Amino acid sequence: MLSQFNQFLLNFSLLITSLLFASLPLRHVKRISPASPVKLRILVGLIAGFISVLLVLNSITYDGAKIDLRLVALVTAFYYGGWVSAGITTLAILGARFAVTPPGAYEGLILTGLICIALLITASIYRRFASHTLKDYLVLIGIGIGYSLPALYLLTETFNRFLEIALVYIIFILLGGYVTYRFLQELRKHFQFVQTQQELALTDGLTNLANRRKLDETLAHYDQHGYAFSVLIVDIDFFKSVNDTYGHDGGDVVLRQLSHLLEHCCPDQALVGRYGGEEFVVLLPDTPLKEAGRLGETIRSACADQHFVFSAYPAFHVTLSIGAASSDQGETSFEVVQKADQALYQAKQTGRNKVVGYSEE
């Protein structure tokens, strides 16, 4: 019994270690379910199939039976990816089982195939009445155990031998299933926490736009890959007067409302960020200067027409000065931003509430 215990621990350690490394490609996926895109479910099936192969190749042989935790991998694939993932995992299990089966001794291989098919059919029926919980996951594990025990009995030499193996098998499959479920849930929480912290580090706390760090990283990325882009620097005219009249809370309301306006006006491929204070930046990849200027005019006009509302004060208007520049001369991103800043300065010096594109003249 102690030898069996140690062998199952090795199989269990292999399962958890494989899950940890195999989960890394999926760390940015917020949720995986049978309703996820097919490509994602195929990836889940390939990962679960790979883990199943490792488990089968390191299985414990008792008489004609191969004992391991492949059932946990199969149920996990079905639980998260449905038939697509489970089908791929089943094929991987059968392939691995065939590889370790001696010529002419195919009873175990046939029984493995029957168990997988019966489990998936039963699980499909059960899922219609179940929710996505630990209890349902363990029920699927239990169904798999129920189908596996008769096969285990047929492949062992004596009833006492069957009882000896079955007891250890049931305990470790249930324990392996429970720990796997909890492990994946905690791993998902950890990935989501890390992703949230990364997003917060690149997000302006007031407007939820990209912050200066995110903008600088994107500009560095443009430099590294030689991407062409245009940039708009958007500045609120006389913002100090807004703060003096309505207080800093009123100024914050203006910044938030303007951030919504910018997101609404800008195309999906644009990166909108707050550069600091009342200054915003819009990065426009693969966009010529004239098109960027037209977008700047759209933003300026929309802002001039918008009624800003704060507390019990009457609605009021603010205007924008916008500088535009493009990387069409092959400059670095820093030089392009400097050109846009010079254009913004010109807009302010010549009356404000306008869009000025950078010109060498």
Short mmCIF file of all heavy atoms in Angstrom, two decimals, residues 62 162 184 215 331 361:
data_model
loop_
_atom_site.label_atom_id
_atom_site.label_comp_id
_atom_site.label_asym_id
_atom_site.label_seq_id
_atom_site.Cartn_x
_atom_site.Cartn_y
_atom_site.Cartn_z
N TYR A 62 -0.84 -2.35 -12.68
CA TYR A 62 -1.29 -3.41 -11.79
C TYR A 62 -1.95 -4.49 -12.65
O TYR A 62 -3.00 -4.25 -13.25
CB TYR A 62 -2.31 -2.89 -10.77
CG TYR A 62 -1.72 -1.94 -9.76
CD1 TYR A 62 -1.93 -0.58 -9.88
CD2 TYR A 62 -0.96 -2.41 -8.69
CE1 TYR A 62 -1.40 0.30 -8.96
CE2 TYR A 62 -0.43 -1.53 -7.77
CZ TYR A 62 -0.65 -0.18 -7.91
OH TYR A 62 -0.12 0.69 -7.00
N PHE A 162 -8.32 -6.39 -6.58
CA PHE A 162 -9.16 -5.29 -7.06
C PHE A 162 -9.49 -4.32 -5.92
O PHE A 162 -9.39 -3.10 -6.08
CB PHE A 162 -10.45 -5.85 -7.66
CG PHE A 162 -11.54 -4.83 -7.81
CD1 PHE A 162 -11.47 -3.84 -8.77
CD2 PHE A 162 -12.65 -4.86 -6.96
CE1 PHE A 162 -12.48 -2.89 -8.89
CE2 PHE A 162 -13.65 -3.92 -7.07
CZ PHE A 162 -13.57 -2.92 -8.04
N LEU A 184 -6.71 25.33 -9.87
CA LEU A 184 -7.02 26.13 -11.05
C LEU A 184 -7.78 27.40 -10.69
O LEU A 184 -7.56 28.46 -11.28
CB LEU A 184 -7.83 25.30 -12.05
CG LEU A 184 -7.05 24.18 -12.75
CD1 LEU A 184 -7.98 23.35 -13.62
CD2 LEU A 184 -5.91 24.74 -13.59
N LEU A 215 1.56 55.58 -22.23
CA LEU A 215 1.82 56.32 -23.47
C LEU A 215 3.30 56.23 -23.86
O LEU A 215 3.63 56.00 -25.02
CB LEU A 215 1.40 57.78 -23.29
CG LEU A 215 -0.11 58.03 -23.16
CD1 LEU A 215 -0.37 59.45 -22.68
CD2 LEU A 215 -0.82 57.78 -24.49
N GLU A 331 11.11 60.64 -37.84
CA GLU A 331 11.66 61.06 -36.56
C GLU A 331 11.37 60.02 -35.48
O GLU A 331 10.55 59.14 -35.65
CB GLU A 331 11.05 62.41 -36.13
CG GLU A 331 11.20 63.53 -37.13
CD GLU A 331 9.99 63.64 -38.04
OE1 GLU A 331 9.26 62.64 -38.19
OE2 GLU A 331 9.78 64.73 -38.58
N GLU A 361 7.34 75.22 -41.94
CA GLU A 361 7.40 76.62 -42.37
C GLU A 361 7.23 77.57 -41.20
O GLU A 361 6.49 77.32 -40.28
CB GLU A 361 6.30 76.87 -43.41
CG GLU A 361 6.46 75.99 -44.65
CD GLU A 361 5.33 76.18 -45.63
OE1 GLU A 361 4.40 76.97 -45.32
OE2 GLU A 361 5.36 75.56 -46.70
#
